[in-house]
Amino acid sequence: MEMHQLLYFAAIVDEGTFTAAARRLHVSQSGISTQVAKLESELGQRLLDRSGRQIRLTPAGKAVLPLAKNALATLEAIKHTAAEFADAVRGRVRLGMIMGCSIPAFLDTIADLGRTHPGIEVSLHEGYSDDLQAQVLAGSLDLALIGYAGSVAPGLEAGIVIDEPITAAVPAGHPLDRRDLRLGNLRGEKILCLSPGTGIRAAYEDSCHRIGLGPRVDIDASSPVTLLRLAERGAGIAVLSASSTQGTGLQTVPLTDAATHARLGLITRRGQHYPAAQLLRTRLLAALQAG
């Protein structure tokens, strides 16, 4: 068994066809087919069901796939670790981040990278999440920290940092300062939410559509802090994630029928192996998920 056989197998599953996997890995379709057949022969089990139009995993394939991906991830980690000791990772990383990002773990990791790897230059670009996804897909950014709801765009991989429901932030003593609320309870109130193209806004709008409500936003802003300060002053009800309301004088009330979660994730193009970008991605994910 060889590592490139596991790589081919995982790529076929990710892409859905031998042709797409071959295109992504820049190898011939026949080469991929031959190597996966050798892998199956060595294991004594069929991993892929080729009988239909679409490739499907066999029961053995379903069991082997996570182990194969773990092995590939371990190999990448070994390569990165060896490169760090050799101080061989160099280059420029174009990193996107959501508007007004001030997450300490995110900023600390970027600052620390400059000290441990002076050969890596990081250029930061702020933007809305939808725009950042398009830029990573187009190759003008190497990776980006975005907020989103549901799934990221096809062709992207996301390391999820936060996955949580949206909530209502209300002043203490407000009529809606209750144990929990439903989205319909917000009718008649001024709604404060993040700008279009952000994960929280998408989660709010999708949750409303799911229950037949027309999502309404009276005031939007690019920063949760701005919305919270307005809510504290009685400008309306702020619809945000629970974590973004911590440390304020507002009451955080769950919205029990908000089905779509807001997510924060670090995205890259699928199959990207640029060493400097991969090193920064590994460090950012470790720091953000630990925080």
Side-chain angles (χ1 to χ4, degrees), residues 86-173:
D87 194 27
V89 181
R90 300 178 179 277
R92 184 167 180 262
V93 182
R94 300 158 300 173
L95 173 63
M97 63 181 184
I98 49 179
M99 299 286 289
C101 177
S102 58
I103 301 172
F106 181 81
L107 302 176
D108 290 345
T109 300
I110 296 170
D112 185 62
L113 188 74
R115 290 187 287 270
T116 60
H117 287 77
I120 297 179
E121 175 190 350
V122 179
S123 58
L124 285 171
H125 306 266
E126 275 192 317
Y128 291 114
S129 296
D130 288 351
D131 294 334
L132 294 174
Q133 290 195 66
Q135 290 177 63
V136 173
L137 276 172
S140 54
L141 291 177
D142 298 303
L143 66 160
L145 182 70
I146 67 165
Y148 63 103
S151 302
V152 295
L156 295 177
E157 294 179 344
I160 298 175
V161 177
I162 294 174
D163 184 339
E164 59 183 357
I166 55 174
T167 61
V170 304

Side-chain angles (χ1 to χ4, degrees), residues 151-284:
S151 302
V152 295
L156 295 177
E157 294 179 344
I160 298 175
V161 177
I162 294 174
D163 184 339
E164 59 183 357
I166 55 174
T167 61
V170 304
H174 189 281
L176 295 185
D177 180 6
R178 308 175 190 171
R179 179 186 296 271
D180 55 57
L181 293 168
R182 299 178 69 81
L183 286 163
N185 296 137
L186 303 184
R187 282 182 292 190
E189 302 289 339
K190 288 192 177 296
I191 304 299
L192 319 178
C193 195
L194 293 178
S195 303
T198 59
I200 289 174
R201 179 66 170 266
Y204 167 64
E205 292 181 345
D206 187 67
S207 293
C208 287
H209 287 310
R210 284 173 181 264
I211 60 172
L213 286 179
R216 192 193 78 255
V217 174
D218 298 283
I219 300 176
D220 60 37
S222 60
S223 168
V225 175
T226 300
L227 299 175
L228 292 168
R229 296 295 176 264
L230 287 169
E232 288 173 342
R233 289 163 172 77
I237 305 300
V239 176
L240 294 166
S241 62
S243 61
S244 62
T245 65
Q246 294 175 359
T248 70
L250 299 167
Q251 304 299 311
T252 302
V253 185
L255 293 166
T256 58
D257 57 347
T260 305
H261 283 203
R263 290 176 171 174
L264 185 70
L266 196 64
I267 58 167
T268 55
R269 287 187 307 282
R270 185 173 293 167
Q272 177 177 281
H273 297 291
Y274 176 43
Q278 288 294 336
L279 173 61
L280 179 55
R281 179 183 183 276
T282 300
R283 290 197 171 189
L284 282 172

Side-chain angles (χ1 to χ4, degrees), residues 47-72:
L47 303 178
L48 300 171
D49 181 354
R50 303 162 174 82
S51 60
R53 289 186 176 182
Q54 197 168 19
I55 299 295
R56 296 190 302 273
L57 284 167
T58 65
K62 290 179 181 178
V64 168
L65 180 62
L67 300 175
K69 289 194 170 185
N70 286 340
L72 292 168

